[in-house]
Amino acid sequence: MITIDTTMRWLSVPVVRGTRAWPPLAALLVGILAGLVGMAPAARAQLQIDITQGVVEPVPIAINAFLGSGAEEAQVGRDIAAVISANLDRSGLFRPLDPASFIEKIANFDAAPGFANWRVINAQALVTGRVTRQSDGRLRAEFRLWDVFAGTQMTGQQFFTAPENWRRVAHVISDAIYERMTGEKGYFDTRVVFVDETGPKDRRVKRLAIMDQDGANLRYLTDGSDLVLTPRFSPTSQEITYMSYGAGFEPRVYLLNIETGQREAVGNFPGMTFSPRFSPDGQRIIMSLQSGGNSNIYTMDLRSRQTTRLTNTPAIDTAPSFSPDGKFIAFESDRGGSQQIYVMRADGGEQRRISFGPGIYSTPVWSPRGDVIAFTKQTAGRFLIGVMRPDGSGERVLTEGFHNEGPTWAPNGRVMMFFRDTPGADGGPQLWTVDLTGYNERRVPSPSFASDPAWSPPIN
Amino acid sequence: MRNAAIISGLGHVAVIAMLSLGLPSADRFESAPIETVPVEFVDISELTKLRAGDRKAEPKETQEAATEAPPEDPHETPPPQRQEQAAAPPPAPEPQVPEPPTPVPAPKPAAVPAPAPRREAKSEPEPAPRDKDEAEQRAAIKNPPMPALRPPPPRRSPPAPKRENFNPDNIAALLNKIPDQSQPRQATELAAQTPAFGVATGTNTPAMTMSEVDAIRAQISRCWSPPIGVQGAETLAVRLKLALNPDGSLSQPPEVVNAAGGLAFQVAAESAMRAVRRCQPYNLPAEKYETWRSMLVRFDPREMAGG
């Protein structure tokens, strides 16, 4: 029989024997709750404003000619300021102001400038410097970067160097200014190696050439007797790896030391080797090896010359590129029917496709920042260079042009260089740079036609 | 049994504490208080009737009618007040549209109780209804503007209650013609006595209208050039505390409230401070100085960094 308890005795608080602990506990709970409620933050009657949109524009910066004790130093000071101006202007993030508009003439490097004079011309930053010749013949170059609207110095450094090295000092100072103003490492103290092309279109003479990133100090590394392709810098040493088609030889991968000029072939493989690149630690070369109609990816240790095969498919796998931490490799493969981009672990495992858009994807290059992979895409007769995240998402196009190809990253992962063809019988490839945001597309001046650029790591 | 009770009690306290105080690492979720914008629905027939009525009305001297004093009257429909306020588009275009010809002065009869509302809205003429006195507004919206809009003669009266030439006789005349004219008065008097909802952060100082806040935002953002393209730029939100002089210039250097380490944050903070310094002095309403003398500005580049 079921009895229904209507007394609702179960609602009453149970009497616990020895109830000494019970009431104090209840009081404690109540007290804590009251305390929590009372601790609620007092409402602040302060006006709050959210700014979510700004203006994307280059920072106006005033760069003064560096002061010099004598006529020679003054000339070097003017040259250094000119190089810094050109570097910052080329980056697209700064707008060096015309020196003719400066109101104040900086005469004392150690004194603070009159900031009101610089605010009037709307300079947000100010660079002053000085060049002095030391007793041992070396040059001392020092600079200060000022925040005009705050009225304070942002940074100041000094460098000692041989007098003929003044260009490098200018690049290093440009890097310091760039880093202090943008928060990113600079890329001005670097070099670019590329394939210089001269002669008629059907009989081009291709030579390896190297120059500073602003086009100065150009010199040729090979004499043009062999066809050279795809040069790549080593991240750790002054070496370049590239492909060369010698007369009567099948294409081989070579190592070239920039300083000594010494050249050696990397291994002796049956078949053709393509698109060599260094690993981030500079100890291995990764490349694709073709035998029969099949092309697969191999790495080779530079010291032991031992090769390891990474892909084993009947498709064409080529153009491999390491991630900056050395854990992954991006490469191009047509195993899915058309050329697409794949990513695999450094030991060759877990190969998966990351590009899925329409068209043909090729030449993946992992950014030194590790956040994106650049690639070339051909679709509907158009040539595009774009970036996507390593998982394949966020694909966006940076530039479109005739035969756009061959992206290479500056060491800070912010600027990319590539080459583009000009149509016609007299046309030829030219080097171009573009910013990661897709802005600021600029032509890189070269003595003749140029292709296949590769950006060096910072020189140190 | 007692131990279990103690453990359970402590466990409950711990959970309640966590729920109330939040985890230490979590960011405060702060959202700006949403300012309410009252919207009225005006029946078109009322307005057409009104227009028809206007044509038949006999003209009277209207020097005062030309001068509008909507700010004094919190029960006026927001749009006319907004027009006086700033060049910003009114939030409620609907009542706006029929406004221009005659309705503008017409609602003023609802200002019949003008002295009363003026009293309690001592320092907040027209921002009050917008974001403070919701109850008031609701009461006012219920009946007022419509009966107010209907008759042309009411048009004459508004100048009266507004300015010193407040003529009770005129109002009596109005009341005779419009029997339900008293309702808005009751509503407002009632509202004057009952507490209004308002905003949690409201004070006695006049709040900034949305258009004024937008004006500040526009003035600062046109000078702000954040460092986008830097890796992780979208996470670098900078909060600055500004102290301003009455003329809109900074009285002291801006202070970074959410200081964090790293060069990237320092560069972001500098770009925010440079923006604030470049665009001073700011053009802000002088009568609300107490409200904007100290403000917290948050620079968040998340929307700009497309990635």
Side-chain angles (χ1 to χ4, degrees):
Chain A
M1 187 151 93
I2 301 167
T3 56
I4 299 170
D5 183 40
T6 52
T7 60
M8 308 234 292
R9 242 182 317 122
W10 48 269
L11 271 182
S12 60
V13 176
V15 175
V16 179
R17 305 239 182 254
T19 55
R20 201 149 307 188
W22 193 237
L25 190 57
L28 178 68
L29 284 171
V30 168
I32 287 176
L33 281 174
L36 289 175
V37 166
M39 272 163 68
R44 285 178 308 160
Q46 184 154 51
L47 182 59
Q48 296 191 28
I49 299 188
D50 277 339
I51 311 272
T52 53
Q53 286 294 327
V55 183
V56 177
E57 58 177 15
V59 174
I61 184 170
I63 300 172
N64 279 283
F66 282 31
L67 304 168
S69 42
E72 215 179 290
E73 288 82 18
Q75 180 58 41
V76 172
R78 278 193 292 272
D79 292 338
I80 289 180
V83 169
I84 296 175
S85 276
N87 280 340
L88 294 179
D89 179 46
R90 207 177 323 111
S91 73
L93 302 180
F94 296 91
R95 185 165 58 90
L97 297 171
D98 183 7
S101 67
F102 294 172
I103 298 175
E104 179 181 345
K105 190 154 165 44
I106 301 280
N108 185 355
F109 173 68
D110 296 309
F115 292 108
N117 297 326
W118 301 98
R119 276 182 214 132
V120 161
I121 60 172
N122 220 6
Q124 294 185 26
L126 170 65
V127 176
T128 59
R130 180 167 61 192
V131 174
T132 44
R133 187 174 284 274
Q134 305 291 101
S135 50
D136 56 359
R138 285 193 311 166
L139 221 56
R140 182 175 88 160
E142 35 191 346
F143 82 98
R144 289 190 214 271
L145 174 67
W146 305 87
D147 184 336
V148 171
F149 280 90
T152 57
Q153 176 179 319
M154 292 172 80
T155 183
Q157 295 173 29
Q158 66 178 9
F159 304 94
F160 295 89
T161 183
E164 56 273 11
N165 233 356
W166 63 268
R167 267 192 175 265
R168 273 208 67 197
V169 167
H171 291 316
V172 170
I173 293 177
S174 312
D175 277 342
I177 295 173
Y178 183 94
E179 187 173 345
R180 183 64 182 83
M181 295 286 301
T182 65
E184 287 187 280
K185 290 222 156 297
Y187 60 94
F188 301 111
D189 190 27
T190 54
R191 288 185 284 196
V192 173
V193 69
F194 63 97
V195 174
D196 172 272
E197 302 188 14
T198 47
K201 204 164 196 171
D202 52 351
R203 232 162 357 116
R204 286 260 207 256
V205 174
K206 297 196 177 188
R207 291 180 288 179
L208 271 185
I210 186 168
M211 63 181 183
D212 290 350
Q213 49 84 23
D214 62 350
N217 290 335
L218 179 97
R219 66 186 168 101
Y220 297 99
L221 299 173
T222 65
D223 58 6
S225 50
D226 301 336
L227 203 63
V228 287
L229 289 177
T230 65
R232 302 281 178 254
F233 260 102
S234 161
T236 51
S237 64
Q238 295 295 313
E239 279 186 315
I240 298 177
T241 177
Y242 67 97
M243 264 177 61
S244 177
Y245 286 75
F249 289 100
E250 285 176 321
R252 290 265 141 79
V253 170
Y254 288 89
L255 273 181
L256 173 67
N257 191 306
I258 300 176
E259 282 156 5
T260 65
Q262 201 180 355
R263 185 175 99 145
E264 61 175 313
V266 167
N268 219 353
F269 304 101
M272 299 198 283
T273 43
F274 292 100
S275 31
R277 259 184 216 280
F278 282 90
S279 63
D281 56 8
Q283 300 303 312
R284 285 169 292 166
I285 288 191
I286 189 169
M287 61 198 156
S288 69
L289 192 59
Q290 181 176 9
S291 54
N294 192 6
S295 173
N296 282 302
I297 295 177
Y298 288 75
T299 55
M300 188 181 84
D301 188 292
L302 280 174
R303 270 172 304 189
S304 66
R305 303 290 166 148
Q306 192 179 0
T307 58
T308 313
R309 182 179 185 150
L310 294 181
T311 67
N312 196 358
T313 61
I316 296 180
D317 302 329
T318 183
S321 167
F322 268 100
S323 65
D325 58 6
K327 295 201 179 114
F328 293 95
I329 296 172
F331 63 100
E332 170 197 326
S333 171
D334 67 353
R335 63 184 70 172
S338 70
Q339 286 150 286
Q340 300 288 336
I341 299 178
Y342 290 72
V343 169
M344 63 180 173
R345 279 207 318 264
D347 59 5
E350 273 182 46
Q351 301 175 10
R352 64 181 191 284
R353 179 173 159 178
I354 64 168
S355 67
F356 291 96
I360 297 173
Y361 291 76
S362 53
T363 70
V365 185
W366 215 303
S367 157
R369 269 194 343 200
D371 56 347
V372 290
I373 296 178
F375 57 88
T376 309
K377 177 170 160 176
Q378 292 173 50
T379 171
R382 299 154 58 203
F383 291 83
L384 314 162
I385 293 186
V387 294
M388 65 169 69
R389 287 191 216 109
D391 60 1
S393 65
E395 179 183 331
R396 79 193 151 86
V397 170
L398 294 190
T399 173
E400 179 179 341
F402 188 60
H403 285 159
N404 272 356
E405 241 191 288
T408 176
W409 289 101
N412 68 352
R414 182 70 199 256
V415 177
M416 179 203 298
M417 193 182 291
F418 59 98
F419 68 100
R420 174 186 288 170
D421 215 346
T422 47
D426 296 333
Q430 297 283 359
L431 299 180
W432 291 76
T433 54
V434 70
D435 187 84
L436 176 64
T437 53
Y439 289 98
N440 197 32
E441 209 178 276
R442 280 178 189 254
R443 226 203 87 191
V444 179
S446 56
S448 175
F449 296 129
S451 62
D452 270 332
W455 217 311
S456 81
I459 311 169
N460 52 358
Chain B
M1 190 59 199
R2 194 186 344 166
N3 284 340
I6 291 173
I7 292 170
S8 161
L10 288 175
H12 278 79
V13 166
V15 168
I16 290 169
M18 257 181 21
L19 290 172
S20 313
L21 302 175
L23 296 170
S25 59
D27 241 342
R28 273 186 66 95
F29 179 66
E30 290 180 20
S31 56
I34 299 173
E35 300 173 359
T36 59
V37 175
V39 172
E40 301 178 7
F41 292 101
V42 178
D43 190 6
I44 284 294
S45 62
E46 302 293 338
L47 302 161
T48 48
K49 236 196 291 186
L50 168 66
R51 286 210 186 95
D54 276 346
R55 273 188 230 112
K56 291 183 216 139
E58 74 272 10
K60 272 199 193 165
E61 80 289 354
T62 50
Q63 291 99 345
E64 299 98 341
T67 68
E68 303 190 357
E72 244 76 357
D73 185 354
H75 299 293
E76 279 230 347
T77 56
Q81 302 164 12
R82 239 177 220 283
Q83 273 171 344
E84 275 221 350
Q85 181 81 13
E94 196 184 343
Q96 183 73 23
V97 167
E99 232 62 274
T102 45
V104 171
K108 287 180 193 139
V112 157
R118 225 182 306 155
R119 235 183 296 120
E120 39 96 6
K122 45 186 170 323
S123 55
E124 33 195 321
E126 86 329 299
R130 207 163 293 118
D131 39 25
K132 302 238 168 163
D133 299 333
E134 292 179 26
E136 224 175 18
Q137 268 301 44
R138 271 189 223 121
I141 287 173
K142 261 189 210 121
N143 334 313
M146 300 218 235
L149 288 174
R150 209 182 296 119
R155 187 168 28 130
R156 311 299 172 274
S157 70
K162 278 182 315 185
R163 298 288 167 216
E164 301 75 42
N165 38 356
F166 171 77
N167 198 345
D169 295 342
N170 261 346
I171 293 176
L174 283 173
L175 287 174
N176 288 336
K177 285 181 186 150
I178 308 128
D180 53 351
Q181 190 68 4
S182 59
Q183 285 179 27
R185 181 200 231 165
Q186 282 170 2
T188 54
E189 281 186 354
L190 253 175
Q193 284 135 28
T194 55
F197 289 139
V199 178
T201 57
T203 59
N204 277 335
T205 55
M208 304 284 287
T209 66
M210 271 169 58
S211 54
E212 284 165 351
V213 170
D214 275 342
I216 302 178
R217 208 179 283 136
Q219 288 182 56
I220 297 179
S221 61
R222 72 183 157 86
C223 292
W224 183 46
S225 217
I228 59 168
V230 182
Q231 200 169 10
E234 57 273 6
T235 59
L236 294 172
V238 179
R239 296 176 110 105
L240 291 185
K241 184 149 177 268
L242 304 184
L244 296 170
N245 290 323
D247 67 350
S249 61
L250 293 169
S251 61
Q252 64 194 52
E255 191 188 316
V256 179
V257 172
N258 62 333
L263 181 62
F265 182 83
Q266 187 182 5
V267 169
E270 274 168 8
S271 83
M273 290 204 278
R274 206 176 303 136
V276 163
R277 285 190 170 111
R278 270 176 73 197
C279 278
Q280 59 174 329
Y282 294 102
N283 190 8
L284 295 165
E287 69 272 11
K288 297 190 185 167
Y289 176 61
E290 285 306 311
T291 313
W292 51 260
R293 70 184 304 170
S294 161
M295 59 170 106
L296 205 61
V297 186
R298 184 164 160 269
F299 293 84
D300 191 350
R302 198 175 334 183
E303 282 175 31
M304 292 186 67

